[in-house]
C-alpha cells in the first residue's frame, strides 16, 4: 500500500505579506514571474490589492480583497499589487518544485540568455544582514518589473512574439533541472495520487485496513518574514 503524509494533494502553503515598495510605474508590490509546471492560488486574508496576469490571451487585472480565491496555471505571468496591507495564503501545486526553482522572473532579455547572468540577477544573498537582503530583493523586483512592462506593452499592442520569446528563454533556463524536479514530483504529488489509487483499490476489494494507519500532523512556520519574490513569507517545512 502506497502512503503519503504530506499536505493534501502535495500542495505547499505559505503566508505572504506583499511588498509595499513602489515600482517605476508607481504601483507597489511584488516581482513578476511565471511557473513552468505548477499552478498557484491565493486566498486573500487581509488588506486589498490585485494580481496582474499576462498570458497569450492578454493582460488581466483581478481585484484581491479578503475572502477572494484566485488561481492560475503554469505559464501565467503574475504580479501582485499591494494597495493597502495585502496579505494572502499562497497555495502551490507540486510542493518542492517551486522551492527548487520552478519560477522564472520577467527579467529583460539581456538577463535571460546566459544562465549565470540570470542566476546572479535572480538570487538573493541568503546569509547577508536583512538590510542587504532587502536592497537585493527590491533591485530584483525592479528589474523584473522593467521586463514585465515591456512584455505587457507588446501583448496589448498585438505583438505576441516578446512573450513567446520569454517563454522559450524560461524553458531553456530550467531545462537542466527537470531530472531533479521529476524526482521531487515522484516523491510528492505522484505518490499522493498513487496512494489514493491504492486506497480505492482496497475499498473495491472491501478492505479498510489503511484506515487504521491514520496519522495527525501539525506544524508551526519554520521561518518568518523570509524575503520572497512577492513579499515577506512565513513558510512551513511541508
Amino acid at each position: 500500500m502506497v502512503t503519503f503524509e504530506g499536505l493534501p494533494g502535495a500542495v505547499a502553503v505559505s503566508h505572504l505579506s506583499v511588498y509595499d515598495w513602489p515600482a517605476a510605474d508607481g504601483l507597489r508590490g511584488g516581482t513578476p514571474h511565471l511557473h513552468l509546471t505548477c499552478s498557484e492560488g491565493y486566498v486573500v486574508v487581509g488588506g486589498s490589492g490585485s494580481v496582474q496576469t499576462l498570458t497569450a490571451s492578454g493582460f488581466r487585472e483581478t481585484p484581491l480583497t479578503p475572502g477572494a480565491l484566485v488561481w492560475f496555471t503554469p505559464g501565467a505571468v503574475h504580479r501582485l499589487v499591494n494597495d493597502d496591507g495585502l496579505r494572502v495564503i499562497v497555495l502551490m501545486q507540486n510542493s518542492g518544485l517551486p522551492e527548487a526553482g520552478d519560477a522564472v522572473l520577467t527579467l529583460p532579455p539581456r538577463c535571460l540568455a546566459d544562465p549565470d547572468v540570470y542566476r546572479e540577477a535572480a538570487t538573493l544573498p541568503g546569509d547577508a544582514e536583512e538590510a542587504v537582503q532587502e536592497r537585493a530583493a527590491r533591485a530584483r523586483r525592479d528589474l523584473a518589473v522593467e521586463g514585465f512592462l515591456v512584455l505587457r506593452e507588446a501583448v496589448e499592442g498585438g505583438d505576441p512574439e516578446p512573450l513567446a520569446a520569454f517563454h522559450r528563454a524560461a524553458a531553456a533556463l530550467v531545462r537542466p533541472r527537470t531530472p531533479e524536479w521529476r524526482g521531487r514530483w515522484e516523491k510528492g504529488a505522484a505518490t499522493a495520487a498513487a496512494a489514493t489509487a491504492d486506497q480505492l483499490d482496497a475499498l473495491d476489494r472491501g478492505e479498510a485496513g489503511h484506515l487504521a494507519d491514520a496519522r495527525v500532523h501539525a506544524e508551526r512556520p519554520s521561518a518568518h518574514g523570509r524575503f520572497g519574490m512577492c513579499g515577506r513569507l512565513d513558510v512551513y517545512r511541508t
Side-chain angles (χ1 to χ4, degrees):
M1 174 74 71
V2 177
T3 60
F4 178 78
E5 296 193 29
L7 279 171
V11 170
V13 175
S14 58
H15 176 263
L16 174 67
S17 298
V18 180
Y19 292 135
D20 62 359
W21 309 324
D25 60 355
L27 298 179
R28 297 176 295 156
T31 306
H33 62 281
L34 59 67
H35 298 281
L36 291 100
T37 64
C38 300
S39 293
E40 181 174 2
Y42 300 142
V43 180
V44 183
V45 295
S48 62
S50 63
V51 58
Q52 297 182 341
T53 50
L54 193 63
T55 69
S57 299
F59 173 79
R60 176 176 173 179
E61 189 159 16
T62 304
L64 298 178
T65 54
L69 171 63
V70 179
W71 70 95
F72 37 85
T73 60
V77 177
H78 48 287
R79 176 195 185 189
L80 277 170
V81 175
N82 183 358
D83 291 337
D84 182 19
L86 181 60
R87 295 184 296 110
V88 302
I89 300 298
V90 181
L91 309 175
M92 288 298 314
Q93 184 185 15
N94 298 321
S95 178
L97 294 192
E99 296 80 3
D102 177 41
V104 173
L105 312 183
T106 56
L107 303 184
R110 66 182 183 273
C111 300
L112 299 172
D114 186 316
D116 291 334
V117 173
Y118 176 82
R119 189 180 306 111
E120 182 177 355
T123 303
L124 300 182
D127 57 351
E129 62 183 23
E130 181 166 315
V132 174
Q133 291 187 55
E134 180 174 331
R135 285 196 297 271
R138 188 163 182 167
R140 179 178 70 174
R141 191 283 310 270
D142 290 345
L143 194 59
V145 168
E146 176 187 334
F148 174 80
L149 294 177
V150 172
L151 294 176
R152 175 182 171 180
E153 182 179 7
V155 169
E156 293 187 314
D159 181 4
E161 177 52 28
L163 181 59
F166 173 66
H167 289 167
R168 294 191 295 269
L173 282 170
V174 305
R175 185 179 180 185
R177 308 193 70 170
T178 55
E180 176 199 353
W181 290 1
R182 184 174 297 276
R184 288 176 178 267
W185 169 77
E186 287 172 346
K187 294 176 182 178
T191 296
T196 300
D198 272 9
Q199 292 159 7
L200 290 171
D201 289 343
L203 293 173
D204 281 342
R205 297 190 298 267
E207 300 172 1
H210 66 282
L211 300 180
D213 296 326
R215 301 287 186 272
V216 177
H217 300 275
E219 186 175 319
R220 300 291 298 178
S222 59
H224 293 271
R226 178 183 297 174
F227 286 97
M229 285 180 286
C230 296
R232 304 295 296 265
L233 287 164
D234 296 341
V235 298
Y236 299 84
R237 288 188 180 88
T238 51

